[in-house]
Amino acid sequence: MKNLLTKTKMSKMTGWSEANGRRWVKNFSDFIPYELSNNRIMYTNESLRIMKFLKRMNDAGYTASDLKKIFLTQGVPNSEEEENLILNQKKLKPVQNLFDENIKESIPSSGQLMIPYLELIKDGNIYTASDITEKIVKHFNLSEIQRHMRYENTSDIILLSRIRGVRYSLKKENYIEEVSRLTYRITDEGRELLNESNSEITEEIEELERNVDPITVVKEKLDELNNELAENLLKKLRNVHWMKFEDIVVELLTVMGYGDGHVTQRTNDEGLDGVIKEDKLGLDNIYVQAKRFAANNSVGREIVQSFSGALDGKGARKGVFITTSYFTEGAKKYAERLESKKIILIDGIELSKLMISYNVGVDINQTFIVKAIDFDYFKDE
């Protein structure tokens, strides 16, 4: 008899609290298998394996957003060996995205990637998308910064975005075929293209570059809409009553899964506006400071230092300082250099984007579903 698990039991076996486990299951519902048993959703040992992998990666410093990108680009690991391969690849902390136009220009363009993409798989073997990406990185001898550089003001990694575009064009013109989800091999037409003259190849590359992946177009438009929404949301936050702002901040951190939160007393709060209990007994608390400031009213070192002192008064080691404006460089450097405690600084732009990501203060307007072939459906029994 198959061993089926409830969501609560699976979360406990993973090492997450029930609330955290539910949040991760919800976020990765497209990747975590389940079965219906007596009209109840139940989970398998395979579900538990994937959840434990997510926990390992999260403990290594990767967010749900980071992990979802890994699953979409590399697929879900099918064995412990594949899990360790991904984990070892990611052991270097994600490169901080300081956008640099010169680095962007040094990353191979779509046209430069077309022929190497085919050359690297011309043996006819089947390769996953992540295998091909690794081959491309080695072929062009790309640095970690070139590999992980994101477009300015978006979450899209430049190299992966260009590789996806190349893959779309090559598949559309039948130079490669998708044999299973995110798994590809070259076609006879692809090999023929490699044997063409340089002039004919150049002409074909120009044609291929005109193909635009509709998913890329949709993502760009969604990024535009989200950036506009974030700006409007931030304007709204700057105008709400300060008491309401404190409520919003505590609600956001609670929804993000950090624990049960509440606003402190409105007066004599000793410089602390909220507290998040990471465990039910309150043995480990996160204290919150929320400042609703105008866009041009920065938060300097002195204010953050005062918050740090308030944490000392509580014997606390963790704090989150959130503002609708921005932090000065002095404030940031002060928070980074603290050794006895950890203070996270969240400015207005990041605050509004977090609210959008976790559906706080926003509603879903429209939902668009993009369908793809279910390769498992066509497999022989």
Side-chain angles (χ1 to χ4, degrees), residues 73-215:
T73 57
Q74 302 189 33
V76 180
N78 294 314
S79 65
E80 186 175 351
E81 183 180 2
E82 289 186 16
E83 288 180 9
N84 289 331
L85 183 63
I86 292 175
L87 190 62
N88 289 333
Q89 287 174 359
K90 303 295 174 181
K91 271 193 175 173
L92 288 173
K93 287 190 176 180
V95 176
Q96 186 178 6
N97 188 45
L98 299 175
F99 180 79
D100 187 305
E101 188 67 36
N102 291 328
I103 294 176
K104 176 190 171 186
E105 292 303 316
S106 72
I107 299 170
S109 66
S110 297
Q112 292 169 327
L113 287 168
M114 294 284 183
I115 297 305
Y117 192 107
L118 291 176
E119 286 282 0
L120 292 168
I121 63 172
K122 68 180 180 182
D123 58 10
N125 291 330
I126 296 172
Y127 294 96
T128 64
S130 58
D131 289 336
I132 299 171
T133 297
E134 291 303 317
K135 285 177 173 290
I136 288 172
V137 168
K138 290 179 181 178
H139 176 79
F140 287 97
N141 194 28
L142 300 177
S143 67
E144 284 294 302
I145 294 177
Q146 288 173 306
R147 178 173 181 166
H148 295 289
M149 175 69 68
R150 300 175 190 271
Y151 286 109
E152 196 170 16
N153 299 322
T154 76
S155 60
D156 277 352
I157 295 174
I158 297 173
L159 177 65
L160 291 183
S161 179
R162 290 178 180 175
I163 291 175
R164 282 197 301 270
V166 167
R167 192 166 63 221
Y168 170 81
S169 297
L170 293 175
K171 189 171 72 166
K172 186 174 185 293
E173 299 303 324
N174 200 37
Y175 292 132
I176 63 172
E177 62 175 335
E178 188 173 14
V179 295
S180 61
R181 180 173 168 77
L182 292 173
T183 307
Y184 306 89
R185 71 179 161 206
I186 195 171
T187 62
D188 290 339
E189 288 91 336
R191 290 194 190 88
E192 289 173 7
L193 176 62
L194 292 176
N195 292 324
E196 298 284 358
S197 66
N198 289 337
S199 61
E200 289 174 320
I201 289 175
T202 300
E203 185 177 338
E204 182 61 16
I205 288 175
E206 290 174 357
E207 286 295 322
L208 289 169
E209 285 186 291
R210 294 191 181 98
N211 291 330
V212 180
D213 184 355
I215 297 296

Side-chain angles (χ1 to χ4, degrees), residues 207-270:
E207 286 295 322
L208 289 169
E209 285 186 291
R210 294 191 181 98
N211 291 330
V212 180
D213 184 355
I215 297 296
T216 300
V217 175
V218 171
K219 280 179 62 62
E220 289 175 353
K221 294 301 179 184
L222 283 175
D223 284 336
E224 288 179 16
L225 289 172
N226 279 332
N227 287 333
E228 182 181 348
L229 174 60
E231 290 176 10
N232 292 331
L233 186 59
L234 188 50
K235 291 177 183 176
K236 198 76 175 174
L237 288 169
R238 288 177 180 141
N239 290 311
V240 298
H241 191 278
W242 64 269
M243 292 174 64
K244 177 64 176 177
F245 181 61
E246 290 179 359
D247 291 335
I248 291 171
V249 163
V250 171
E251 180 185 349
L252 172 63
L253 293 174
T254 302
V255 170
M256 288 175 69
Y258 285 102
D260 296 326
H262 67 270
V263 175
T264 58
Q265 56 186 349
R266 301 297 187 181
T267 58
N268 298 321
D269 60 9
E270 299 175 322

Side-chain angles (χ1 to χ4, degrees), residues 32-49:
I32 298 174
Y34 66 86
E35 294 185 8
L36 285 177
S37 178
N38 297 324
N39 293 322
R40 290 185 65 193
I41 293 178
M42 303 292 285
Y43 297 89
T44 64
N45 288 331
E46 175 65 7
S47 314
L48 179 62
R49 182 187 68 80

